[in-house]
Amino acid sequence: MNEMNWLAIAPEVLLLAAALVVAMVDLWVTHPRRTPTYLLAQAALAAVAILHLLRFDAGETIYAVQRMVVADPMGHLLAFFATIATMVSLAYARPYAAEREMLKGELITLAMFSLLGINVMLSANNFLVVYLGLELMSLSLYALVALRRDHAPATEAAMKYFVLGALASGFLLYGLSMMYGATGSLDIGEVFKAIATGQINKAVLVLGIVFVVSGLAFKLGAVPFHMWIPDVYQGAPTAITLLVAGAPKLAAFAITIRLLVEGMSGIAQDWQQMLILLSVASMALGNLAAIAQSNLKRMLAYSTIGQMGFMLLGLTPTVVSVNTLSAANGYSSSMFYVLTYVFTTLGTFGIVMLLSRAGHEAEQIDDLKGLARRSPWYAAVMAIFMFSLAGIPPTVGFYAKLAVLQALVSTNVALYIWLAVIAVLLSLVAAFYYLRLVKVMYFDEPVDTHPIASTGEVRTLLSLNGAAVLVFGILPGGLMALCAQAIVKALGS
């Protein structure tokens, strides 16, 4: 393996080594807050993030391990944000986990192995590498959900997640095997070339795509493969819910681009019809079901379903060539959307964990009542997150939704214009339950009068998180340009 090959997999090698070192060091740590383990893990993750950022800045596309792995700007950018999301998740989770005797080496090590699986998925250029990364990430998350062994809802959520996740993995693996049977290759680039020749069994190929899209829809949480999300979000400890809700969404987006756009754009008219149905169904069911929820985490789960449906809209317009500007516009809009959704979600669950304390879980909407009187600052930060999820200016959620809608309308095709209209109407429905939380925080009497205890680290991170949602909303051009650059280079390589 030459130097260029090592550069392609350097972040993954560093992350694997760091996870093993953290696991071994934790065996000798007796500090109840796991300070040495935590600091070592954060330092290692920071090094991985810097490495991804440097490789993204280099702008190179490098293949390794017999072209089974690709290190391109899209993978590096998404991996950078996935690493940052994991670092922030661990920082928010630390006080919460310590109060519930969950702050053990397993929590930090499994989070790092989950991130390693995400990195493998982001750099996959082969069906088997996609599946390897998916299983590494998923198995780590299953174990994390069940980490609180004395908590019956967490154990039940882990069982549901495991069983349904295994079913979805089977769908994806079966679909990929059919793709291999139809094209004769496991390499994503070779699959694209085989489809371009037209000398393939179209019936087998399309049937394989149905199973592949089903597996991808499960990982994204799109209807009708959404059934695990509300139960897992509600049943898992909030710290683990954040690890499930954040960085893995970036991996799901990446393998959707890798498999469908890079590998199967030659038959885009087949899978894009499926994405349209998944998108509209997810926005409709997610937003309507969220209105009826009184459990905050369950409401945010249905919100996630609706948000992922909106993100899928950017992948639906018909593309004549993957190198066209219109294609890059749609895909980069979806990438921008999923990135902004993730760091808004981080802050939202960060506030939920902040309001929880030993013996009390802030899981009901009523737990937010009167938050503005208890802490005006945290109420303002939470309001910013809700405005962003609802798509209200000047938050980044507004620009993210606008970018996706512009990508649809710019096609000048009646179908996509109608999709944009439907998306706007369903976003208005979503605004109801997001703004209801703001109303509860500012206009209702407090139910919980206990003081809100927080560490300086969490306080600072939440403030920066809220500021980022505002700054990227007012000045979105830089991040949007990075997304467009990453997509163009990924599809042009």
Side-chain angles (χ1 to χ4, degrees):
M1 189 178 289
N2 60 36
E3 182 184 357
M4 296 297 281
N5 293 136
W6 278 111
L7 283 174
I9 62 171
E12 288 77 18
V13 172
L14 176 59
L15 187 55
L16 174 60
L20 294 175
V21 170
V22 167
M24 288 187 289
V25 167
D26 190 74
L27 294 175
W28 286 274
V29 173
T30 57
H31 195 283
R33 291 181 67 84
R34 285 298 195 275
T35 301
T37 310
Y38 172 77
L39 293 178
L40 179 60
Q42 291 288 42
L45 291 175
V48 171
I50 291 170
L51 187 54
H52 278 302
L53 197 57
L54 292 174
R55 299 309 309 152
F56 171 79
D57 192 53
E60 299 173 314
T61 297
I62 306 172
Y63 292 91
V65 197
Q66 298 180 335
R67 295 185 69 87
M68 290 194 295
V69 171
V70 58
D72 60 6
M74 184 187 79
H76 285 306
L77 186 63
L78 286 170
F80 169 75
F81 280 105
T83 306
I84 296 297
T86 303
M87 293 174 67
V88 173
S89 298
L90 288 174
Y92 286 155
R94 190 181 174 209
Y96 176 95
E99 289 180 345
R100 289 153 184 80
E101 299 182 354
M102 290 170 51
L103 191 56
K104 304 169 185 176
E106 297 96 311
L107 172 62
I108 297 172
T109 306
L110 285 171
M112 295 179 75
F113 275 115
S114 172
L115 180 62
L116 178 60
I118 290 169
N119 274 258
V120 172
M121 292 164 71
L122 293 174
S123 60
N125 193 45
N126 182 282
F127 291 162
L128 292 180
V129 178
V130 169
Y131 190 72
L132 179 67
L134 177 65
E135 288 304 291
L136 179 55
M137 179 194 77
S138 298
L139 290 171
S140 301
L141 293 177
Y142 301 153
L144 280 169
V145 173
L147 192 61
R148 196 175 177 188
R149 292 182 288 272
D150 59 344
H151 193 235
T155 306
E156 180 185 347
M159 286 295 293
K160 290 177 180 176
Y161 194 12
F162 174 72
V163 172
L164 293 173
L167 182 65
S169 294
F171 277 179
L172 184 63
L173 191 60
Y174 185 62
L176 293 177
S177 69
M178 297 188 77
M179 299 297 301
Y180 172 68
T183 61
S185 178
L186 293 170
D187 186 275
I188 291 175
E190 293 301 316
V191 168
F192 174 78
K193 292 176 184 177
I195 292 173
T197 64
Q199 306 299 314
I200 52 174
N201 189 324
K202 184 72 179 293
V204 174
L205 195 65
V206 172
L207 187 59
I209 286 178
V210 171
F211 283 98
V212 168
V213 171
S214 298
L216 294 174
F218 178 90
K219 294 303 173 185
L220 287 167
V223 173
F225 306 97
H226 67 287
M227 65 288 290
W228 65 276
I229 287 191
D231 291 337
V232 172
Y233 275 40
Q234 181 181 357
T238 309
I240 310 304
T241 301
L242 180 53
L243 288 168
V244 173
K249 293 293 185 287
L250 301 179
F253 169 81
I255 59 169
T256 301
I257 292 289
R258 298 279 191 220
L259 292 177
L260 299 186
V261 179
E262 292 185 12
M264 306 175 203
S265 57
I267 49 172
Q269 67 277 10
D270 293 303
W271 56 259
Q272 283 171 339
Q273 294 173 29
M274 301 179 210
L275 292 190
I276 289 173
L277 292 175
L278 291 172
S279 174
V280 174
S282 298
M283 288 189 293
L285 188 143
N287 291 324
L288 291 172
I291 293 175
Q293 306 305 314
S294 59
N295 183 285
L296 180 58
K297 287 166 67 177
R298 202 170 183 87
M299 189 209 82
L300 291 172
Y302 282 108
S303 158
T304 295
I305 296 167
Q307 297 282 352
M308 289 300 100
F310 206 107
M311 183 276 293
L312 283 173
L313 283 177
L315 306 179
T316 57
T318 302
V319 177
V320 177
S321 166
V322 295
N323 295 317
T324 60
L325 185 61
S326 61
N329 184 30
Y331 301 142
S332 61
S333 297
S334 286
M335 183 174 173
F336 181 84
Y337 194 97
V338 75
L339 285 173
T340 56
Y341 163 77
V342 166
F343 62 72
T344 304
T345 296
L346 292 175
T348 303
F349 280 103
I351 292 286
V352 175
M353 278 189 281
L354 184 71
L355 297 179
S356 302
R357 60 181 185 278
H360 173 73
E361 296 290 335
E363 292 189 348
Q364 301 299 319
I365 292 176
D366 286 352
D367 290 318
L368 289 175
K369 283 186 174 180
L371 180 59
R373 299 185 190 180
R374 297 171 63 198
S375 174
W377 180 250
Y378 290 135
V381 171
M382 185 66 164
I384 289 171
F385 297 140
M386 290 301 103
F387 287 147
S388 181
L389 290 172
I392 296 173
T395 59
V396 71
F398 167 75
Y399 187 81
K401 282 182 164 58
L402 181 63
V404 172
L405 293 173
Q406 283 179 332
L408 288 173
V409 174
S410 64
T411 61
N412 289 320
V413 176
L415 171 62
Y416 301 117
I417 293 174
W418 274 109
L419 279 176
V421 172
I422 292 170
V424 170
L425 293 176
L426 290 172
S427 293
L428 291 175
V429 173
F432 169 78
Y433 60 83
Y434 291 128
L435 295 180
R436 178 177 64 183
L437 292 185
V438 178
K439 175 259 179 188
V440 163
M441 290 190 297
Y442 280 90
F443 298 105
D444 287 11
E445 291 294 326
V447 174
D448 188 351
T449 57
H450 285 81
I452 300 174
S454 64
T455 64
E457 181 186 24
V458 170
R459 230 179 356 253
T460 303
L461 272 177
L462 279 172
S463 300
L464 290 174
N465 205 162
V469 170
L470 281 177
V471 170
F472 282 120
I474 298 169
L475 302 169
L479 182 57
M480 191 70 205
L482 292 178
C483 292
Q485 174 189 343
I487 290 291
V488 168
K489 288 189 176 181
L491 300 184
S493 59

